[in-house]
């Protein structure tokens, strides 16, 4: 086994030596931590005046100053608060830091300006906790209405033993807590796309064959019926949806359960990750590279970040997941992206192992200004997909159907934990038609399967300067096939 | 300290068989702020000597006094501690060691962060000998037991045959040729043969002198497999690849005189461990192997490090309070523990707006929650825990004087937590509401652990534009007895500072009387009765 592996690694190493690497475009820069604080990051945010706040699973909040300059070594950490209960959400508004911790959302204010919070005001504690470790509460930034969202893990994988476990709630500026979406299993993060709609990541498990990114459309059912008993406490989103049938398919159950919305983007289990977490949107207007308005999704197990581009077809979201950057020191849980285009990501391997080998990390990811050759976007068409690129392709490679390969599949929708990929299809790429400017290519594909992930590998595509794609894999979740 | 030095010199002055440096060592420590010995049980063989290393990691002085047991009952040495207490003003000079025939051996009064060594002559008579800290107020929590155990004989002869091979089960050694063989000099089962650490097997053949006809019990544990034969018959079998955690035992009848013992053992890879012991009517479990099993009580002096505190203790720093919000025993899931610099600790339950418990000394150990996934509630790290009232809320409207106090609820109707504010010393004032009344609840700790006068004053300030009638504060509940200016409860004493408390059955209630829109009540809880 060992000799086989090392041969494989050597071959891979040799093949990659001359190829561009992620770090040529997006280097990972660990923040200095001379005081050796335990930085098991659970959430990150930034302030208009350029500070970063980092909250940890141990219940500390750190303030990071001077972290946006060219040299990360200037960054300074100081403890802003401590004694909180597993912080997994941060938002800043008008001098107040809003921390989502296990029992509540709390507003922190440094009233005497000594660099440490003095006021810890409960904004909402409108959900139950039993004392089970699994009952995590992930908080959001403020949405376009000024509301905070909180995504509540079930009690374990299957059941909801106290109020609103397995729900997403909204908390308004005046402190009202509004049950908004049911059917969550084990959220890992919550965020908004460029148009302000809320999304969360859910982890592989019961009723979730793979991890995914799901749209938190108010009133919808996200797929796990474990928390549906709490309709007895609220009529905020109507009546309890019918139970989904076990051992079914999402595409089928959508017809039976009207409020069931399929995951916007599947994050195929064990292919690009195993435990997705934070969601942030690039609204920097190009300061973070070419991926404007796209989402970046953290991943705890694989210690990487996946890029997601969404489109709305027939009233629901779908889109593509493409690997972005890997190699963080520990499992990513919290992320933030400043208007200056500095991304911060951190997390820990505690309780759930992660790649990287470090118990925790807090890193900065910056764009060097050099544009990687990447699939910029992938959009569904009635007869295939249109790929766009960050740089012109060579017509010869991009126009050759043999430069691409596609597989499609879905997962069983079932009460049992996780599930294998099922219903495999091998779609044929019948034509590849590059645009005259080389910035996009139209792929004609047959068949397209509604509800399947369509995995495109573009191994043969080269840029006009001969570069291979930095990431050849793209996973498109085809919830709806656009009408002709 | 003179006493300890004298004890240390004894072996040199008297014709004792061993010098102190060769004696088995037992280390006992006193962890910071926990009012306990780290080892509640130690063992020794009758008539031998052991060296005791007593290390005080605490902030206050402690001693170690080994006592003869009372003939008729277990008193944990408390009677000796009482005698020490009666020394009164003279106690300090005598290191709180009373002049009592029950005292077998003792250290001096060991100051904070100091240590002392002591050679103890273990009593000849098997039994349970208590040890205790006789510093006034410590004995209830700081005590332990020395088990003086009679041991049985060991092998009179022991040979080994070492085999090399990679097995998942015990091989038939009869079919194999030994790599090496010979006698084992100290006649104790050992697997440290030829420096082998994996892929080997050993057959041991020994002679065990059975003292008299009767029933004996053998105890076997191994990593990996093993099988015990007595006079050619299989008695215990623990074959296969596994850790040594499980000890298997079996009773056998044996005749007086030398008996043939055979033990087959093999090691695959990883840990290698072998434990064999026997016990009889006249002696306790006696190891026949060099390696001692950590779960058996005959391993004194060899595994003291197993008892070392390896937690993540949280403590107040820089004269400021420390907060720990997490799952805490006997508290709802919204517990907020507060540790104050003087050693007062409490846990406020933000589900019911009431302090669930108070304790002194060390604050909290965060290891449970800060390693792994962190499941389960964590108890206080310190000592002298008291609950002023059973679970439930501290405030309620009682329309009639006989309206029962509301039954405990997970999250009582009408009570809403609103957070807390920290003052300059990071002491929290909790904010919450009951109905339309806003409440600010604060705690002021006072006293010192050293002077045994710790106390904490709990003040509730109320505001309401339309004050309710019949709002009551339940300051304490449980068996309460009027005493001096206050009431004595289970582990605490309470005195009212503001308000007019009255006892209703087992409840100490204080009516909340508004003057205009404001009202206040205050009580002080004392540990010292």
């Amino acid at each position: 086994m060992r000799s086989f592996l090392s041969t494989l690694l050597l071959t891979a190493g040799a093949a990659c030596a001359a190829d561009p690497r992620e770090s040529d475009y997006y280097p990972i820069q660990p923040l200095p931590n001379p005081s050796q604080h335990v930085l098991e990051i659970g959430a990150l945010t930034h302030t208009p005046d350029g500070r970063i706040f980092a909250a940890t699973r141990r219940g500390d909040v750190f303030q990071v100053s001077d972290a946006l300059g060219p040299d990360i070594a200037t960054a300074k950490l100081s403890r802003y608060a401590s004694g909180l209960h597993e912080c997994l959400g941060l938002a800043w508004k008008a001098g107040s830091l809003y921390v989502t911790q296990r029992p509540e959302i709390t507003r922190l204010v440094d009233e005497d300006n000594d660099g440490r919070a003095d006021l810890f005001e409960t904004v909402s504690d409108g959900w139950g906790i039993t004392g089970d470790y699994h009952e995590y509460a992930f908080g959001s930034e403020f949405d376009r209405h000024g509301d905070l969202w909180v995504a509540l893990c079930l009690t374990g994988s299957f059941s909801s033993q106290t109020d609103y476990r397995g729900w997403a709630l909204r908390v308004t500026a005046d402190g009202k807590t509004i049950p908004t979406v049911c059917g969550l299993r084990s959220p890992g993060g919550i965020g908004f796309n460029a148009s302000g709609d809320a999304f969360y990541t859910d982890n592989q498990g019961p009723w979730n064959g793979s991890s995914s990114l799901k749209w938190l459309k108010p009133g919808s059912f996200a797929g796990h019926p474990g928390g549906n008993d709490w309709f007895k406490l609220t009529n905020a989103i109507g009546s309890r949806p019918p139970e989904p049938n076990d051992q079914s398919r999402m595409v089928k159950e959508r017809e039976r359960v009207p409020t069931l919305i399929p995951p916007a983007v599947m994050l195929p289990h064990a292919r690009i990750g195993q435990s997705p977490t934070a969601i942030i949107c690039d609204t920097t207007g190009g300061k973070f590279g070419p991926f404007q308005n796209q989402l970046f999704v953290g991943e705890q197990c694989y210690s990487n970040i996946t890029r997601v581009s969404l489109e709305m077809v027939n009233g629901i979201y779908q889109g593509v997941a493409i690997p972005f950057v890997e190699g963080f020191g520990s499992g990513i849980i919290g992320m933030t992206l400043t208007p200056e285009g500095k991304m911060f990501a951190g997390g820990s391997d505690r309780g759930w192992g992660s790649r990287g080998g470090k118990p925790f990390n807090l890193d900065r990811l910056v764009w060097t200004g050099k544009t990687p050759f990447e699939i910029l976007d992938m959009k569904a068409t009635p007869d295939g997909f249109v790929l766009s690129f960050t740089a012109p392709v060579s017509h010869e490679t991009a126009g050759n159907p043999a430069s691409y390969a596609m597989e499609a599949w879905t997962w069983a929708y079932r009460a049992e934990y996780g599930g294998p990929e099922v219903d495999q299809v091998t779609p044929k790429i019948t034509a590849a038609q590059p645009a005259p400017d080389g910035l996009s290519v139209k792929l004609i594909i047959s068949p397209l399967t509604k509800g399947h992930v369509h995995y495109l590998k573009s191994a043969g595509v080269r840029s006009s300067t001969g570069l291979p794609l930095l990431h050849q894999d793209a996973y498109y979740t085809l919830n709806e096939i656009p009408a002709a | 300290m003179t006493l300890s030095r004298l004890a240390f010199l004894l072996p040199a002055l008297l014709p004792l068989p061993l010098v102190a440096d060769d004696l088995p060592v037992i280390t006992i420590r006193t962890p910071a702020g926990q009012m306990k010995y780290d080892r509640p049980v130690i063992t020794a063989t009758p008539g031998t000597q052991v060296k005791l290393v007593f290390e005080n990691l605490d902030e206050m002085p402690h001693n170690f006094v080994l006592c003869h047991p009372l003939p008729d009952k277990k008193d944990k040495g408390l009677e000796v501690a009482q005698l020490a207490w009666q020394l009164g003003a003279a106690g300090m000079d005598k290191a709180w060691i009373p002049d009592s025939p029950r005292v077998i051996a003792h250290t001096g009064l060991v100051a904070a962060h100091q240590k002392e060594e002591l050679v103890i002559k273990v009593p000849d008579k098997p039994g349970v000998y208590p040890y205790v800290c006789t510093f006034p107020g410590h004995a209830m929590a700081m005590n332990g037991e020395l088990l003086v155990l009679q041991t049985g004989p060991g092998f009179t002869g022991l040979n080994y045959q070492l085999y090399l091979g990679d097995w998942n089960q015990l091989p038939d050694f009869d079919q194999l040729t030994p790599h090496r063989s010979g006698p084992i000099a100290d006649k104790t089962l050992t697997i440290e043969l030829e420096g082998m650490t994996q892929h080997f097997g050993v057959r041991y053949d020994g002679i065990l002198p059975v003292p008299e006809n009767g029933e004996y019990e053998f105890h076997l544990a191994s990593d990996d497999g093993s099988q015990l034969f007595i006079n050619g018959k299989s008695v215990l079998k623990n074959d296969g690849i596994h850790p040594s955690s499980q000890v298997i035992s079996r009773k056998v009848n044996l005749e007086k005189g030398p008996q043939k013992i055979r033990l087959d053992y093999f090691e695959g890879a990883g840990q290698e461990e072998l434990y064999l012991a026997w016990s009889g009517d006249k002696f306790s479990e006696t190891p026949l192997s060099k390696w001692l099993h950590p779960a058996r009580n005959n391993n004194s002096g060899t595994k003291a490090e197993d008892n070392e505190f390896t937690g993540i203790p949280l403590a107040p720093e820089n004269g400021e309070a420390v907060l720990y919000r997490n799952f805490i025993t006997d508290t709802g899931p919204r517990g907020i523990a507060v540790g104050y610099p003087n050693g007062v600790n409490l846990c406020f339950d933000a589900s019911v707006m009431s302090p669930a418990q108070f304790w002194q000394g060390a604050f909290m150990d965060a290891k449970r929650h800060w390693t792994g996934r962190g499941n389960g509630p964590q108890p206080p790290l310190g000592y002298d825990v008291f609950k002023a009232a059973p679970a439930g809320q501290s405030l309620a409207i009682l329309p009639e004087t006989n309206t029962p106090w509301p039954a405990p609820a997970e999250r009582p109707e009408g009570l809403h937590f609103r957070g807390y504010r920290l003052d300059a010393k990071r002491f929290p004032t909790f904010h919450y509401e009951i109905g339309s009344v806003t409440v600010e609840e604060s705690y002021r700790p006072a006293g010192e652990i050293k002077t045994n006068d710790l106390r904490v004053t709990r003040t509730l300030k109320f505001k309401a534009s339309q004050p309710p009638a019949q709002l009551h504060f339940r300051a304490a509940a449980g068996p309460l007895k009027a005493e001096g200016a206050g009431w004595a409860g289970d582990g605490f004493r309470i005195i009212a500072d503001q308000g007019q408390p009255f006892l209703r059955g087992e409840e100490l209630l204080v009516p909340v009387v508004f003057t205009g829109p404001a009202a206040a009540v205050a009580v002080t809880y004392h540990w010292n009765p």
Side-chain angles (χ1 to χ4, degrees):
Chain A
M1 188 62 180
R2 199 171 296 151
S3 59
F4 166 73
L5 264 179
S6 53
T7 314
L8 199 71
L9 286 172
L10 280 174
T11 318
C16 291
D19 292 344
R21 293 173 303 177
E22 290 168 349
S23 58
D24 297 339
Y25 310 96
Y26 291 97
I28 297 169
Q29 304 172 334
L31 259 74
N33 182 17
S35 302
Q36 299 191 308
H37 295 299
V38 176
L39 299 173
E40 295 176 340
I41 302 301
L44 291 161
T45 194
H46 60 271
T47 66
D49 60 359
R51 283 175 290 162
I52 305 298
F53 280 97
T56 74
R57 295 179 66 193
R58 287 192 171 191
D60 290 315
V61 179
F62 293 91
Q63 189 171 188
V64 190
S65 56
D66 302 316
L68 303 183
D71 187 358
I72 193 63
T74 61
K76 287 177 210 63
L77 274 169
S78 66
R79 200 190 304 262
Y80 185 74
S82 57
L84 303 172
H85 192 168
E86 196 133 28
C87 307
L88 296 171
L90 277 181
W92 176 266
K93 187 159 84 178
S96 295
L97 185 69
Y98 292 76
V99 181
T100 302
Q101 51 174 330
R102 189 170 289 247
E104 62 178 53
I105 299 174
T106 314
R107 185 172 76 96
L108 275 57
V109 185
D110 174 13
E111 294 180 320
D112 59 3
N113 285 312
D114 67 347
R116 295 197 292 175
D118 321 289
L119 177 67
F120 297 73
E121 183 187 81
T122 305
V123 177
S124 169
D125 60 358
W127 62 86
I129 48 176
T130 63
D132 186 281
Y133 75 87
H134 198 271
E135 290 175 344
Y136 297 102
F138 287 88
S140 75
E141 299 270 356
F142 287 95
D143 72 7
R144 57 194 156 183
H145 307 294
D147 296 346
L148 288 170
W149 293 59
V150 55
L152 301 171
C153 280
L154 288 171
T155 313
S157 287
F158 296 90
S159 70
S160 176
Q161 286 165 23
T162 185
D163 303 4
Y164 298 120
R165 303 313 318 181
W167 286 59
L169 314 176
R170 265 176 306 160
V171 178
T172 62
D174 57 355
K176 280 202 193 76
T177 303
I178 305 168
T180 302
V181 176
C182 64
L184 286 68
R185 183 186 101 73
S186 186
I190 187 166
F192 308 99
N193 69 355
S195 48
D197 285 332
F199 293 82
Y200 84 104
T201 48
D202 212 334
N203 276 254
Q204 188 225 27
W207 301 103
N208 289 268
S210 168
S211 301
S212 63
L213 175 85
K214 300 189 189 187
W215 178 22
L216 287 170
K217 184 185 181 188
S220 66
F221 166 54
H224 191 310
N228 285 357
D229 272 353
W230 305 114
F231 276 93
K232 70 188 176 194
L233 297 182
T234 180
N235 55 13
I237 58 169
S239 55
R240 180 179 178 141
E243 291 286 296
N245 285 327
D246 196 5
Q247 298 295 352
S248 184
R249 299 287 181 267
M250 181 63 76
V251 71
K252 205 166 151 197
E253 294 307 303
R254 278 179 65 194
E255 292 165 15
R256 282 187 58 247
V257 186
T259 53
L260 174 61
I261 295 187
V265 167
M266 300 303 292
L267 301 164
H269 185 80
R271 288 179 183 256
I272 58 176
Q274 284 185 193
S275 189
T277 53
I279 303 160
I280 52 173
C281 185
D282 179 1
T283 54
T284 63
K287 294 205 174 68
F288 189 63
F291 308 115
Q292 291 177 54
N293 294 338
Q294 296 190 2
L295 299 179
F296 295 90
V297 179
E299 160 65 39
Q300 191 272 335
C301 184
Y302 282 22
S303 305
N304 67 23
I305 296 175
T306 294
R307 180 162 60 87
V308 166
S309 178
L310 297 171
E311 60 178 325
M312 189 173 265
V313 179
N314 298 340
I316 61 169
Y317 279 108
Q318 59 187 38
V320 65
I322 299 171
F324 176 55
V325 170
E326 64 180 5
F328 289 91
S330 195
I332 303 300
I333 301 172
M335 288 164 68
T336 193
L337 177 58
T338 72
E340 299 80 8
K342 311 292 184 198
M343 184 183 281
F344 294 82
S348 88
D349 73 348
R350 173 150 70 80
W352 284 267
S354 64
R355 294 179 179 173
K358 292 187 184 161
F360 53 81
N361 71 318
L362 175 53
D363 296 317
R364 186 174 78 166
L365 190 70
V366 296
W367 180 43
T368 56
K370 210 170 133 188
T371 299
F373 178 51
E374 292 265 42
I375 296 172
L376 178 62
D377 205 349
M378 179 170 176
K379 291 208 183 305
T381 65
D383 54 0
F385 295 95
V386 172
L387 295 184
S388 56
F389 300 92
T390 56
V393 292
S394 89
H395 286 252
E396 190 191 338
T397 58
N400 181 359
S403 294
Y404 310 89
M406 185 166 265
E407 295 168 41
W409 66 84
T410 187
W411 288 265
Y413 180 45
R414 60 177 196 175
E416 212 177 313
Y417 199 100
E421 297 171 353
V422 294
D423 306 344
Q424 280 84 353
V425 175
T426 307
K428 211 171 159 219
I429 293 142
T430 56
Q433 304 155 351
D437 63 2
L439 286 172
S440 66
V441 59
K442 184 169 167 47
L443 301 179
I444 309 298
I445 288 172
S446 177
L448 292 176
T449 311
K450 179 175 164 165
H452 273 37
V453 162
H454 288 65
Y455 162 42
L456 177 71
K457 191 169 186 72
S458 309
V461 174
R462 294 291 178 274
S463 72
S464 59
T465 58
L467 288 176
L469 284 161
L470 188 57
H471 299 97
Q472 301 173 353
D473 296 335
Y475 300 88
Y476 191 98
T477 301
L478 192 65
N479 290 323
E480 294 283 332
I481 301 170
Chain B
M1 308 307 138
T2 341
L3 282 167
S4 84
R5 235 175 258 139
L6 187 60
F8 205 51
L9 287 171
L10 276 174
L13 296 172
L14 301 170
L16 290 168
L18 286 167
V19 294
D21 282 349
D22 293 338
L23 296 176
V25 175
I26 298 176
T27 301
I28 292 186
R29 298 182 178 89
T30 57
Q34 297 176 53
M35 193 64 89
K36 66 179 189 189
Y37 296 121
D38 66 344
R39 302 190 65 186
V41 176
I42 56 176
T43 58
T45 309
T48 61
Q49 290 184 80
V50 295
K51 183 160 92 176
L52 178 88
V53 178
F54 181 63
E55 201 174 340
N56 183 5
L57 308 178
D58 201 4
E59 298 301 327
M60 58 181 131
H62 296 292
N63 65 17
F64 171 94
V65 181
L66 179 66
C67 311
H68 285 290
L70 286 176
D72 48 348
K73 63 168 183 177
K74 276 191 172 187
D75 83 328
K76 298 179 170 181
L78 292 182
E79 182 214 50
V80 176
Q82 287 288 344
L83 292 175
W85 214 339
Q86 286 163 20
L87 292 171
M92 210 66 187
D93 290 340
K94 299 186 172 182
W96 300 102
I97 307 301
D99 185 16
S100 160
R102 284 191 65 192
V103 175
I104 299 169
H106 61 85
T107 65
L109 195 59
V110 179
H113 305 292
Q114 299 299 307
K115 76 175 177 184
E116 187 175 327
E117 294 180 352
L118 179 67
V119 172
I120 295 175
K121 170 144 183 358
V122 179
D124 294 327
K125 190 179 161 195
V128 179
Y129 293 78
Y131 53 87
V132 67
C133 175
T134 58
F135 191 92
H138 293 190
M140 282 297 283
M142 292 188 76
N143 56 62
E145 289 175 338
L146 167 68
L147 309 180
V148 176
L149 304 170
Q150 186 61 56
T151 54
F155 290 113
T156 53
L158 187 63
N159 291 289
Y160 77 92
Q161 291 173 302
L162 175 68
Y163 299 84
L164 304 185
D166 187 2
W167 305 288
N168 293 323
Q169 299 276 329
L170 276 169
D172 181 358
F173 288 129
D174 287 336
Q175 307 297 321
L176 302 172
T177 309
H179 171 66
R180 203 175 284 263
S181 59
I184 296 177
D186 68 357
K187 301 185 180 67
T188 308
L189 294 170
T190 176
I191 46 178
E192 287 160 11
L193 298 162
E194 314 279 326
M196 300 298 300
T197 58
Q198 59 178 3
H199 306 321
F200 69 97
V202 190
R203 164 165 283 176
Y204 303 90
D205 283 298
I207 302 296
L208 197 57
V210 172
E212 52 193 89
N213 292 353
E215 192 181 60
Y216 297 86
E217 190 169 18
F218 286 80
H219 314 277
L220 177 66
S222 59
D223 177 342
D224 291 298
S226 59
Q227 186 168 14
L228 175 71
F229 301 87
I230 301 179
N231 297 323
K233 276 191 197 152
S234 175
V235 173
L236 286 168
K237 189 170 182 181
N238 195 9
D239 205 357
I241 301 277
H242 46 71
S244 65
S245 43
Q246 195 194 358
V247 180
I248 58 171
S249 301
R250 185 168 167 195
K251 287 179 179 163
V252 286
N253 278 303
L254 295 176
E255 286 180 9
K256 182 178 172 176
Q259 309 295 338
K260 282 187 201 159
I261 304 290
R262 167 170 285 182
L263 184 68
D264 286 350
Y265 165 81
F266 84 95
E267 160 63 7
Q271 291 276 99
E272 61 275 358
E273 287 159 348
L274 175 63
Y275 175 74
L276 179 68
W278 69 320
S279 50
D281 285 349
K282 302 259 172 66
F283 60 89
S284 60
E285 188 169 318
T286 301
L288 298 168
S289 58
K290 187 172 262 176
W291 185 70
L292 302 178
H293 198 279
R296 311 304 274 187
N297 65 1
N298 54 11
N299 59 357
S300 68
T302 60
K303 282 275 187 180
E305 67 275 13
D306 285 354
N307 297 297
E308 269 182 30
F309 180 74
T310 56
I312 306 175
L314 304 178
E317 285 172 12
N318 310 320
E320 297 181 342
V322 56
L323 267 69
Y324 183 66
R325 203 161 176 175
N326 218 306
F327 305 131
I328 293 159
T329 48
D330 298 330
T331 308
R334 295 165 197 269
I336 305 174
V338 188
Y340 295 94
N342 69 334
V344 164
N345 307 283
L346 60 90
C347 181
F348 185 83
D349 186 340
S351 309
V352 297
M353 317 309 148
S354 182
Q357 56 199 323
F358 299 83
W359 68 98
Q360 314 189 21
F363 175 50
M364 289 299 302
D365 176 9
K367 185 182 182 186
R368 170 188 293 275
H369 298 133
W370 287 2
T371 55
R373 297 179 184 184
N375 208 17
Q378 176 68 25
L381 185 56
Y383 54 92
D384 283 357
V385 179
F386 73 80
K387 298 174 175 70
Q393 59 205 76
S394 289
L395 290 173
I397 307 242
L398 301 178
E400 308 291 338
T401 50
N402 61 355
T403 307
W405 197 258
E410 216 173 283
R411 303 188 75 183
E413 194 82 26
L415 277 165
H416 297 288
F417 188 59
R418 292 293 177 233
Y420 51 87
R421 182 177 260 110
L422 303 180
D423 68 12
K425 293 161 97 177
R426 318 301 283 174
F427 291 8
T429 295
F430 299 103
H431 298 191
Y432 55 91
E433 293 161 7
I434 175 163
S436 59
V437 183
T438 63
V439 189
E440 293 189 358
E441 177 164 341
S442 60
Y443 293 84
R444 284 293 166 271
E448 277 185 80
I449 285 178
K450 275 184 214 158
T451 47
N452 201 23
D453 61 347
L454 279 194
R455 57 198 184 272
V456 57
T457 300
R458 176 184 179 193
T459 305
L460 287 77
K461 292 180 178 168
F462 304 86
K463 275 197 187 126
S465 51
Q466 289 180 310
Q470 309 302 338
L471 179 62
H472 285 78
F473 166 53
R474 190 171 74 168
L480 292 164
K481 170 170 102 194
E483 200 180 86
W487 293 266
D490 185 4
F492 68 99
R493 188 160 56 91
I494 181 168
I495 289 170
D497 302 308
Q498 200 172 352
Q500 299 293 325
F502 64 94
L503 207 55
R504 185 180 81 163
E506 291 201 329
E507 297 174 312
L508 186 67
L509 302 180
V510 188
V512 178
V513 181
F514 281 83
T515 310
V521 294
V523 293
T524 299
Y525 302 98
H526 296 248
W527 270 267
N528 187 13

